[in-house]
Amino acid sequence: MSGFSCGHELPKSRIGAYLSHIPQDECKRCLDCQTKTAVGTLRLLKNLRNSCENLDPNVGQYVITFAFDRFILQRKATANGFKQNFDELLRVHGEVSLHLLGRRQLSSFFLAVKGRWGGDIAKQALRAIGTAALKASGVYTPIEPANAEILATLNRMISLFRRRVIAINDFKQLEIILDSATTLESLRDEVIFALSRLEEGLAKWDSMDNT
Protein backbone atom coordinates (compact mmCIF):
# COMPACT_ATOMS: atom_id res chain seq x y z
CA MET A 1 0.00 0.00 0.00
CA SER A 2 1.53 3.30 -1.10
CA GLY A 3 -0.58 5.77 0.87
CA PHE A 4 0.33 8.40 -1.75
CA SER A 5 -1.87 9.74 -4.51
CA CYS A 6 1.10 9.72 -6.90
CA GLY A 7 1.18 5.92 -6.66
CA HIS A 8 4.70 5.69 -5.32
CA GLU A 9 5.43 3.38 -2.42
CA LEU A 10 7.57 3.77 0.64
CA PRO A 11 10.72 1.65 0.76
CA LYS A 12 10.49 -1.24 3.21
CA SER A 13 13.35 -0.02 5.35
CA ARG A 14 14.23 2.32 8.18
CA ILE A 15 14.07 5.20 5.68
CA GLY A 16 10.59 4.14 4.65
CA ALA A 17 9.53 4.14 8.28
CA TYR A 18 10.87 7.69 8.61
CA LEU A 19 9.04 8.88 5.51
CA SER A 20 5.73 7.50 6.70
CA HIS A 21 5.68 10.30 9.29
CA ILE A 22 6.38 13.28 7.04
CA PRO A 23 3.69 15.92 6.55
CA GLN A 24 1.84 15.38 3.27
CA ASP A 25 0.65 18.17 1.02
CA GLU A 26 -2.99 18.57 0.05
CA CYS A 27 -2.43 16.19 -2.87
CA LYS A 28 -0.93 13.53 -0.55
CA ARG A 29 2.17 13.06 -2.68
CA CYS A 30 5.38 11.30 -1.70
CA LEU A 31 8.49 13.22 -0.67
CA ASP A 32 10.06 12.95 -4.14
CA CYS A 33 6.98 14.34 -5.84
CA GLN A 34 6.50 17.08 -3.26
CA THR A 35 10.01 18.39 -3.93
CA LYS A 36 9.95 18.38 -7.73
CA THR A 37 9.31 22.12 -7.74
CA ALA A 38 10.51 25.03 -5.65
CA VAL A 39 6.95 25.81 -4.56
CA GLY A 40 6.40 22.21 -3.46
CA THR A 41 9.68 22.17 -1.56
CA LEU A 42 8.80 25.42 0.23
CA ARG A 43 5.39 24.02 1.13
CA LEU A 44 7.00 20.88 2.55
CA LEU A 45 9.43 22.91 4.66
CA LYS A 46 6.65 25.11 6.01
CA ASN A 47 4.57 22.02 6.82
CA LEU A 48 7.56 20.63 8.69
CA ARG A 49 7.86 23.85 10.67
CA ASN A 50 4.20 23.70 11.64
CA SER A 51 4.37 20.05 12.73
CA CYS A 52 7.82 20.05 14.32
CA GLU A 53 6.50 19.44 17.85
CA ASN A 54 5.15 16.01 16.91
CA LEU A 55 7.90 14.96 14.52
CA ASP A 56 10.47 12.34 15.48
CA PRO A 57 13.96 13.97 15.50
CA ASN A 58 15.36 11.29 13.20
CA VAL A 59 12.57 11.91 10.71
CA GLY A 60 13.21 15.63 10.90
CA GLN A 61 16.91 15.30 10.24
CA TYR A 62 16.36 12.96 7.30
CA VAL A 63 13.75 15.19 5.64
CA ILE A 64 15.72 18.39 6.31
CA THR A 65 18.77 16.85 4.64
CA PHE A 66 16.69 15.41 1.79
CA ALA A 67 14.98 18.74 1.06
CA PHE A 68 18.32 20.57 1.13
CA ASP A 69 19.87 18.08 -1.30
CA ARG A 70 16.90 18.45 -3.63
CA PHE A 71 17.00 22.22 -3.99
CA ILE A 72 20.78 22.45 -3.97
CA LEU A 73 20.97 19.88 -6.78
CA GLN A 74 18.54 21.97 -8.83
CA ARG A 75 19.65 25.44 -7.71
CA LYS A 76 20.52 26.49 -11.26
CA ALA A 77 17.34 25.08 -12.83
CA THR A 78 14.78 27.64 -13.95
CA ALA A 79 12.05 25.28 -15.21
CA ASN A 80 10.74 24.36 -11.75
CA GLY A 81 11.55 27.65 -10.05
CA PHE A 82 14.57 26.58 -8.02
CA LYS A 83 16.95 29.23 -9.34
CA GLN A 84 14.40 32.02 -8.93
CA ASN A 85 13.48 30.96 -5.40
CA PHE A 86 16.89 29.85 -4.14
CA ASP A 87 17.30 32.61 -1.55
CA GLU A 88 13.79 31.97 -0.18
CA LEU A 89 14.43 28.22 -0.04
CA LEU A 90 17.68 28.76 1.83
CA ARG A 91 16.01 31.17 4.29
CA VAL A 92 13.04 28.92 5.06
CA HIS A 93 15.28 25.86 5.26
CA GLY A 94 17.43 27.67 7.83
CA GLU A 95 14.37 28.57 9.91
CA VAL A 96 13.00 25.02 9.86
CA SER A 97 16.40 23.50 10.62
CA LEU A 98 16.77 25.76 13.64
CA HIS A 99 13.40 24.76 15.09
CA LEU A 100 13.55 21.10 14.16
CA LEU A 101 17.12 20.05 14.92
CA GLY A 102 19.20 20.05 18.09
CA ARG A 103 22.90 20.94 18.19
CA ARG A 104 24.05 17.38 17.58
CA GLN A 105 21.73 17.00 14.60
CA LEU A 106 22.71 20.39 13.21
CA SER A 107 26.35 19.34 13.40
CA SER A 108 25.56 16.06 11.62
CA PHE A 109 23.61 17.95 8.96
CA PHE A 110 26.53 20.34 8.43
CA LEU A 111 29.01 17.50 8.01
CA ALA A 112 26.69 15.74 5.55
CA VAL A 113 26.26 18.88 3.48
CA LYS A 114 29.97 19.67 3.52
CA GLY A 115 30.77 16.12 2.41
CA ARG A 116 28.24 16.15 -0.46
CA TRP A 117 28.34 19.73 -1.68
CA GLY A 118 31.56 21.24 -0.42
CA GLY A 119 32.51 23.98 2.00
CA ASP A 120 30.92 26.94 0.22
CA ILE A 121 27.44 25.40 0.17
CA ALA A 122 27.83 24.25 3.77
CA LYS A 123 28.71 27.81 4.81
CA GLN A 124 25.53 29.11 3.15
CA ALA A 125 23.49 26.58 5.10
CA LEU A 126 25.12 27.57 8.41
CA ARG A 127 24.67 31.27 7.72
CA ALA A 128 20.97 30.76 6.97
CA ILE A 129 20.54 28.93 10.29
CA GLY A 130 22.48 31.62 12.16
CA THR A 131 20.38 34.37 10.61
CA ALA A 132 17.24 32.46 11.54
CA ALA A 133 18.47 32.27 15.15
CA LEU A 134 18.98 36.03 15.41
CA LYS A 135 15.58 36.72 13.86
CA ALA A 136 13.79 34.15 16.04
CA SER A 137 15.31 35.78 19.13
CA GLY A 138 14.24 39.24 17.99
CA VAL A 139 17.81 40.53 17.82
CA TYR A 140 18.43 40.80 14.09
CA THR A 141 17.57 44.49 13.82
CA PRO A 142 18.19 47.34 16.31
CA ILE A 143 15.85 47.66 19.27
CA GLU A 144 13.66 50.75 19.09
CA PRO A 145 14.12 53.55 19.86
CA ALA A 146 17.42 52.84 18.14
CA ASN A 147 18.94 56.17 19.19
CA ALA A 148 18.18 55.70 22.91
CA GLU A 149 21.40 55.91 24.91
CA ILE A 150 20.40 53.05 27.21
CA LEU A 151 20.06 50.77 24.15
CA ALA A 152 23.29 51.87 22.47
CA THR A 153 25.50 49.02 23.71
CA LEU A 154 22.85 46.39 23.02
CA ASN A 155 22.23 47.70 19.50
CA ARG A 156 25.96 47.80 18.79
CA MET A 157 26.19 44.13 19.76
CA ILE A 158 23.17 43.28 17.60
CA SER A 159 24.82 44.99 14.62
CA LEU A 160 28.09 43.19 15.33
CA PHE A 161 26.50 39.75 15.40
CA ARG A 162 24.45 40.52 12.31
CA ARG A 163 27.75 41.14 10.51
CA ARG A 164 29.33 38.05 12.02
CA VAL A 165 26.48 35.76 10.95
CA ILE A 166 27.23 36.34 7.26
CA ALA A 167 30.86 35.43 7.92
CA ILE A 168 30.25 32.01 9.50
CA ASN A 169 32.70 29.43 8.18
CA ASP A 170 32.29 26.44 10.48
CA PHE A 171 29.91 24.86 12.97
CA LYS A 172 31.71 26.21 16.06
CA GLN A 173 31.06 29.73 14.82
CA LEU A 174 27.38 28.87 14.34
CA GLU A 175 27.27 27.67 17.95
CA ILE A 176 28.64 31.06 19.07
CA ILE A 177 25.85 32.76 17.14
CA LEU A 178 23.20 30.46 18.63
CA ASP A 179 24.44 31.10 22.17
CA SER A 180 24.80 34.82 21.56
CA ALA A 181 21.27 35.08 20.13
CA THR A 182 19.92 33.65 23.39
CA THR A 183 22.05 36.03 25.46
CA LEU A 184 21.05 39.05 23.39
CA GLU A 185 17.37 38.11 23.66
CA SER A 186 17.66 37.90 27.44
CA LEU A 187 19.50 41.22 27.60
CA ARG A 188 16.92 42.83 25.33
CA ASP A 189 14.08 41.68 27.58
CA GLU A 190 15.85 42.97 30.68
CA VAL A 191 16.55 46.37 29.14
CA ILE A 192 13.01 46.76 27.80
CA PHE A 193 11.63 45.83 31.22
CA ALA A 194 13.93 48.35 32.88
CA LEU A 195 12.86 51.05 30.42
CA SER A 196 9.19 50.36 31.07
CA ARG A 197 9.77 50.66 34.83
CA LEU A 198 11.61 53.95 34.36
CA GLU A 199 8.87 55.31 32.11
CA GLU A 200 6.27 54.20 34.64
CA GLY A 201 8.12 56.08 37.37
CA LEU A 202 8.35 59.22 35.25
CA ALA A 203 4.64 59.01 34.44
CA LYS A 204 3.82 58.82 38.16
CA TRP A 205 6.09 61.81 38.80
CA ASP A 206 4.37 63.84 36.11
CA SER A 207 0.92 62.93 37.42
CA MET A 208 1.96 64.12 40.91
CA ASP A 209 3.10 67.44 39.46
CA ASN A 210 -0.30 67.90 37.86
CA THR A 211 -2.29 67.35 41.07
Side-chain angles (χ1 to χ4, degrees):
M1 184 177 75
S2 70
F4 297 119
S5 62
C6 53
H8 295 144
E9 295 185 0
L10 293 172
K12 295 179 180 179
S13 64
R14 181 168 56 91
I15 298 302
Y18 285 173
L19 298 184
S20 67
H21 298 285
I22 65 168
Q24 295 183 6
D25 61 6
E26 66 275 9
C27 297
K28 297 188 181 301
R29 297 175 297 173
C30 70
L31 191 60
D32 282 315
C33 290
Q34 285 190 60
T35 55
K36 282 184 176 179
T37 65
V39 170
T41 304
L42 282 168
R43 186 181 297 114
L44 171 67
L45 289 170
K46 290 174 181 178
N47 286 341
L48 281 172
R49 181 173 56 193
N50 295 336
S51 62
C52 63
E53 291 182 1
N54 302 316
L55 201 62
D56 182 278
N58 292 321
V59 178
Q61 183 173 346
Y62 178 85
V63 180
I64 283 292
T65 305
F66 179 92
F68 188 84
D69 288 344
R70 291 284 280 185
F71 76 76
I72 289 296
L73 179 65
Q74 303 177 82
R75 65 190 180 278
K76 297 180 181 179
T78 57
N80 292 328
F82 285 98
K83 183 177 181 179
Q84 301 92 314
N85 292 281
F86 180 74
D87 289 342
E88 177 73 358
L89 284 161
L90 199 61
R91 180 187 67 80
V92 174
H93 188 275
E95 292 173 356
V96 179
S97 298
L98 176 69
H99 291 291
L100 209 59
L101 307 182
R103 295 286 179 98
R104 181 182 60 81
Q105 292 170 316
L106 285 172
S107 177
S108 178
F109 166 72
F110 165 67
L111 292 174
V113 169
K114 187 176 182 180
R116 293 174 192 170
W117 302 105
D120 288 342
I121 294 294
K123 290 175 189 177
Q124 290 186 61
L126 291 182
R127 291 168 186 175
I129 295 169
T131 298
L134 293 178
K135 289 182 176 180
S137 296
V139 291
Y140 186 71
T141 56
I143 308 303
E144 297 294 340
N147 60 351
E149 185 175 351
I150 195 172
L151 295 172
T153 300
L154 175 59
N155 281 331
R156 279 198 299 271
M157 294 303 293
I158 288 174
S159 297
L160 175 61
F161 278 98
R162 184 173 177 174
R163 292 194 298 271
R164 290 291 172 87
V165 79
I166 59 174
I168 293 174
N169 290 317
D170 57 42
F171 187 75
K172 289 184 178 180
Q173 290 175 331
L174 174 64
E175 288 191 297
I176 292 172
I177 294 293
L178 297 179
D179 291 337
S180 299
T182 301
T183 301
L184 286 171
E185 181 180 20
S186 177
L187 183 59
R188 179 207 63 190
D189 291 344
E190 290 176 5
V191 171
I192 290 176
F193 177 74
L195 276 174
S196 68
R197 290 295 300 274
L198 291 171
E199 289 172 352
E200 181 183 339
L202 289 172
K204 288 180 179 178
W205 184 290
D206 291 341
S207 66
M208 293 168 63
D209 285 342
N210 295 327
T211 56

